[in-house]
Amino acid sequence: MKVTLLTGRTLRQGQGKEYGKLSERYLKSVAVCEMDPDDMKRLGIRENENVKIATNYGSVVVKAVKSLRAPHPSAVFVPYGPWISLVMSSKTHGTGMPSLKGVTAEVNPAPTEPVLSLPELLKRHFKKE
Amino acid sequence: MDIAIKDGKIVEKVEGKGVKVIDASRMIVMPGGVDIHSHIAGAKVNAGRMLRPEDHFKDVEVKTEKTRSGVGHSIPSTFTTGYRYARMGYTTVFEPAQAPLKSRHTHEELNDTPIIDKGAYPLLGDCWFVLERLAKGMIEECAAYVAWTMRATKGYAVKIVNPGGLEAWGFGGNMRNIDDTVPHFNITPREIVQGLCKVNELLHMPHTIHVHTNNLGKPGNYVNTLETMKCVENLAHGDKPVIHITHCQFSAFKGRDWHTFASGAEEIARYVNNHSHVTLDMGQIVFTETTTMTADGPFQFILYQLTGNKWINGDVETETSTGIVPFAYKRKSYVHATQWSIGLELALLIKDPWKIYLTTDHPNAGPFIYYPKIISWLMSRRAREKVMRKMNKRARQKSLLSTIDREYTFYEMAIATRAGQARALGLRHKGHLGLGADADIAIYNIDPTSVEPSKDYQLIRRAFKHAAYTVKGGEIVVKNGEIVKSVDGKTFWVDVETSPSVDEFVPRLKQVFEDYYTVQYENYVVPEHYLAVSCPVHTKAEI
Amino acid sequence: MPIISNVTCPVCGSLCDDIEILVENNKVVKVKNACGLGESKFLNYNGHRLRKPLIRKNGELVEASIKEAIRRSAEILADAAYPILYGWSNTSCEAIRVGLELAEEIGGVIDNTSTVCHGPSVLSIQDVGYSTCTLGQIRHRADLVIYWGSNPWSAHPRHIERYTAFTQGRFQASIWYRYLAHLSAYRARRRLLRALKLSSVREAPTIEAEAGLPPTLFRKERKMIVVDVRRTRTADIADYFLQVEPNKDYEVLEALRALIRDEEIDMDTVAGVPVETLEELADVMIGCKFGVLFFGVGLTMSMGKLRNIDTAICMVRDLNRYTKFIIMPMRGHFNVTGSNVVSTWQTGYPYAVDFSHGYPRYNPGETSVVDILARGESDASLIVASDPVAHFPKAAVENLVRNPVIVIDPEPTPTTLMADVVFPSSFVGIETEGTAYRMDHVPLPLKKIVEPPSGCLSDMEILQRILAEVRKIKRETAEVA
């Protein structure tokens, strides 16, 4: 399904960060995708099931959760963090600032793909000799 | 004649081996320059720097072995500010507008401003605490507050900007004249100026109150300026000044509007010549592109509407405001050319050089790097005429300058650029080369016995632009106009001894502090260790 | 048991300085006055620390001595042709000063996190200026508070309570009391209805369901409006919430600007908002005595970026012809403002400063880190108290980790995992003192309330030692040559 991807800060992400970025709590607070419940129905996804978010620049698997801020049809919200950064463009249009809000993306169920832990994620996507 | 220096001071003589000798024969030797009013550091100046990358692009300083890199032009970065003053032989500069709430910022920047000694004047003319106490006639309580502020903000003098007008600007208003009432506070600008003048005398502050008048920058404002000077006339004792009217050029406008705009310099000069309780500084215009920045928020808003240039406004809770607008002074503009003339008229019509000092209100009327130009205008009628030939015709015809022959002598120039300013600031170790003076010395490569400033004004300019030597605290910091050593300058602040001590007043202040501010009392106070080189000036108050 | 009061909270740009902290055996045991974020930081900061310097050897990060780590870092930086020094928003101004000196010494680029949050706001201000003030002015005077594209309830939790709508000021009463009164009246009515077994009676329609703006917006006292693309928590407590379509802020702002200038709009809706609503909103803005517009990264990060801010600032500027109006960016990290401030007084520019020519150069889009990384131009990096691996787009991170990375941070992060040298540092504002700037440019002191773990130096000290070592290497090289 085509969606508009918004990212931002959340209270939970802010608190999760204080428990350490390698903690489970941080992962649970940012590797999520807040969706409109109607959109979830349409896609046949239930709470805490995996979805794949894909843009022209990459894709990542996170857990879908019901948005408490609905209705916002075909808009999804993901907190800042290493997961969502993987699908962002580094183009800044001469401003120094990449576009992190209002990005066009595709969200689909990904029942067979896991949400990677942080070390796995870094290993999979970035090389370090 | 020899001048001997030891441990940063001027002494009778030095002996022994290893004494370093500077040969200054056929050169002019003066005390280090003193600037009584130059916006060089703090929140407002930095907002100006941030606003104007285009101002920096055209003027850069490359890093060297001895110096840090930086940028100019009208709002130079801190290191560049220190170096450029030192290159002109200046060694002491005062930042004249420190929002008390943001004093830490000012001092952080002053710490990063090398070589020169410095200080800052807290803005007090629109402080709620001051307004309330003065409205109730509580002069002593107000004095205790001012004494506390000097200590808490590490301030040096009482600064008043558009008294009452800045508080009114909190809701978009302003003061129309000296007897207008400040909304919600039941007090007039006249009462604020008089009250703080009394406080200043009670505290025996080294400097007088430092006043930026109401209606600054508006045609017809010279009347208000005269009123402001008159209102403290009877507070003076003997010949001692009690008020400093700063950047007077901007407050000496005649006319009903911009079309009938004219110089009020003659009236101001006449008054100052007949009274001894006032000192002034010029605020001389230079035809260039610069950045205007004052605490006078409403004036800057007018300037924004006049020019349509970009505009920063920055109000500070319970205390003051700020405005910044880039500005270009053009010689073909009638108003600008008249303003150029007003500044020089003031300096030339006021007979006593101890009463009017050279400033550009940097960067408002022009960056301080243009001081050598102004020196040449004051010392040479020919130099003035050269500018006048190219400026707006109507302004030229109306200018009084064509009737003024006076040319400053080197002595008068030394008074207007250092001795007078040091005296006005109460800095006893500055502005002269007597025994015990700070060894801050400027040596200019110009032979006063052979050079005729009137004719050779270009030589004068060159010499004052790049000092042959600048000595700061006994160390050679500039040689042939280049920085050879960077040292840390001192920060002056006034520590007033009151009885009962200021500490007893603190609980009363704490009671209202939380209602007034969004920061805690403890976090408002700037501790002494915050200053890189702290230099308290002690005074004893009459309270 | 010492209680330390007036502590400044080193979390967000609100920089609340009234926190009280109870310390027992060099450990924070209780925190008073702080919000969820602040309390969480003070209580948990020490749970997950880096304690020893690390150096990457044969692909693995292994423990090393501080001396070794300093030497290795200095070698990397002295060798680099175009290094980047990034982060700076979570450290003290004192550390930033040293960072700038180091950047100048090695001819690198120094950039702070505002490059990816309020960088566009800075660019707009450089275009058109802005009318702003300190937060106390708003507390005392504002009768209209607008949050646009920002969610203080989550990102700056005490902002509303301390500085804006819920605070008590000299000329403005708090709406907090009204809010509480409203809430208790609502509860009382519910109880009454239940008691009368009339709970089936329909409740009054919510404000949003009515056409036009709620009548509360036209009263004299303080009111709060939230504009956002989604209904945030902050929106829930506002007098009015205006929802705009994603990436359409610019249209709404321009429409408002036109309406404020008394121009007519020949459309029925703009970005999903009826023009009539906007007309009324414009009237509310013109009619207030002192209005303030806070904007967040919702404006800077979406389409239009700096142009959104340009037009917001111009709208506020226009409003000053009718009334007093102020605009202020909601800055995120606790000292992101300070990193702009220090950089500006030393170099003239607030971020993205390039020293490779020996003097400061500034051209965001060229000298900003994301662009440098995207082009793959840098050949080493020093990261201070920041986590670009987690927050930069993928292509930028790829180029970042391809070259040597030095990280100074108190805790492990995705960036330390990918680093070549890691310094454990002390927490500024908890274990080290310093200065920070609030979002309204008010400088505040940060306190040291407990001792850092042994071996953890402050950011400033680590940077000073790296700088000294770089200079030593340069001298050695010069002598050999």
Side-chain angles (χ1 to χ4, degrees), chain C residues 166-238:
Chain C
F166 289 173
T167 181
Q168 190 80 14
R170 184 175 188 130
F171 309 114
Q172 276 300 328
S174 164
I175 61 163
W176 179 239
Y177 301 109
R178 207 183 63 231
Y179 179 70
L180 288 179
H182 175 80
L183 211 66
S184 61
Y186 174 74
R187 286 204 190 110
R189 206 186 54 167
R190 287 281 295 258
R191 266 201 305 276
L192 202 69
L193 289 174
R194 230 172 309 166
L196 295 168
K197 301 203 175 176
L198 284 172
S199 49
S200 59
V201 170
R202 257 190 54 198
E203 285 177 29
T206 55
I207 286 165
E208 295 76 49
E210 293 173 14
L213 297 192
T216 47
L217 277 189
F218 297 94
R219 65 163 185 270
K220 271 194 170 161
E221 307 96 72
R222 197 171 260 172
K223 40 222 166 258
M224 178 169 148
I225 297 175
V226 169
V227 185
D228 215 320
V229 292
R230 59 181 201 131
R231 193 177 180 90
T232 59
R233 287 194 179 205
T234 314
D236 288 342
I237 57 162

Side-chain angles (χ1 to χ4, degrees), chain C residues 80-368:
Chain C
Y82 198 51
I84 51 180
L85 294 80
Y86 176 75
W88 311 106
S89 302
N90 282 320
T91 189
S92 67
C93 292
E94 288 78 358
I96 299 164
R97 287 177 65 196
V98 184
L100 283 154
E101 196 171 354
L102 177 61
E104 186 190 80
E105 186 67 47
I106 59 179
V109 173
I110 185 163
D111 199 358
N112 54 60
T113 61
S114 60
T115 194
V116 292
C117 65
H118 275 289
S121 313
V122 171
L123 295 176
S124 301
I125 293 166
Q126 289 171 341
D127 275 352
V128 290
Y130 68 148
S131 168
T132 190
C133 66
T134 64
L135 291 164
Q137 281 295 88
I138 292 155
R139 173 189 160 189
H140 289 300
R141 298 175 202 264
D143 58 343
L144 177 63
V145 179
I146 304 175
Y147 287 100
W148 195 306
S150 87
N151 182 11
W153 197 262
S154 298
H156 303 81
R158 293 181 72 208
H159 196 265
I160 301 169
E161 152 207 342
R162 254 173 82 78
Y163 307 121
T164 68
F166 289 173
T167 181
Q168 190 80 14
R170 184 175 188 130
F171 309 114
Q172 276 300 328
S174 164
I175 61 163
W176 179 239
Y177 301 109
R178 207 183 63 231
Y179 179 70
L180 288 179
H182 175 80
L183 211 66
S184 61
Y186 174 74
R187 286 204 190 110
R189 206 186 54 167
R190 287 281 295 258
R191 266 201 305 276
L192 202 69
L193 289 174
R194 230 172 309 166
L196 295 168
K197 301 203 175 176
L198 284 172
S199 49
S200 59
V201 170
R202 257 190 54 198
E203 285 177 29
T206 55
I207 286 165
E208 295 76 49
E210 293 173 14
L213 297 192
T216 47
L217 277 189
F218 297 94
R219 65 163 185 270
K220 271 194 170 161
E221 307 96 72
R222 197 171 260 172
K223 40 222 166 258
M224 178 169 148
I225 297 175
V226 169
V227 185
D228 215 320
V229 292
R230 59 181 201 131
R231 193 177 180 90
T232 59
R233 287 194 179 205
T234 314
D236 288 342
I237 57 162
D239 290 288
Y240 182 65
F241 169 56
L242 179 72
Q243 187 156 11
V244 298
E245 292 168 7
N247 289 332
K248 294 277 177 67
D249 299 274
Y250 185 85
E251 283 89 330
V252 177
L253 283 163
E254 276 296 339
L256 275 173
R257 231 189 125 187
L259 293 169
I260 287 164
R261 293 170 156 231
D262 282 337
E263 284 163 34
E264 270 181 53
I265 296 179
D266 292 334
M267 305 265 287
D268 294 331
T269 61
V270 175
V273 184
V275 168
E276 278 153 38
T277 307
L278 292 177
E279 276 168 359
E280 289 186 33
L281 193 60
D283 282 346
V284 170
M285 289 162 91
I286 290 173
C288 74
K289 264 163 64 187
F290 185 115
V292 55
L293 173 68
F294 290 102
F295 64 95
V297 287
L299 280 188
T300 63
M301 285 181 179
S302 49
M303 197 195 283
K305 292 174 187 155
L306 68 155
R307 298 300 163 212
N308 296 335
I309 315 300
D310 272 3
T311 187
I313 291 174
C314 290
M315 180 183 77
V316 166
R317 211 170 63 172
D318 293 348
L319 279 163
N320 272 288
R321 291 168 196 232
Y322 308 99
T323 181
K324 183 87 182 182
F325 227 98
I326 295 291
I327 185 165
M328 195 186 293
M330 297 286 285
R331 308 303 303 267
H333 296 296
F334 74 86
N335 201 24
V336 64
T337 308
S339 59
N340 292 150
V341 166
V342 182
S343 177
T344 304
W345 87 55
Q346 287 209 354
T347 71
Y349 309 114
Y351 68 105
V353 182
D354 180 339
F355 283 107
S356 62
H357 291 223
Y359 59 85
R361 266 182 76 243
Y362 167 77
N363 189 18
E366 181 206 342
T367 62
S368 36

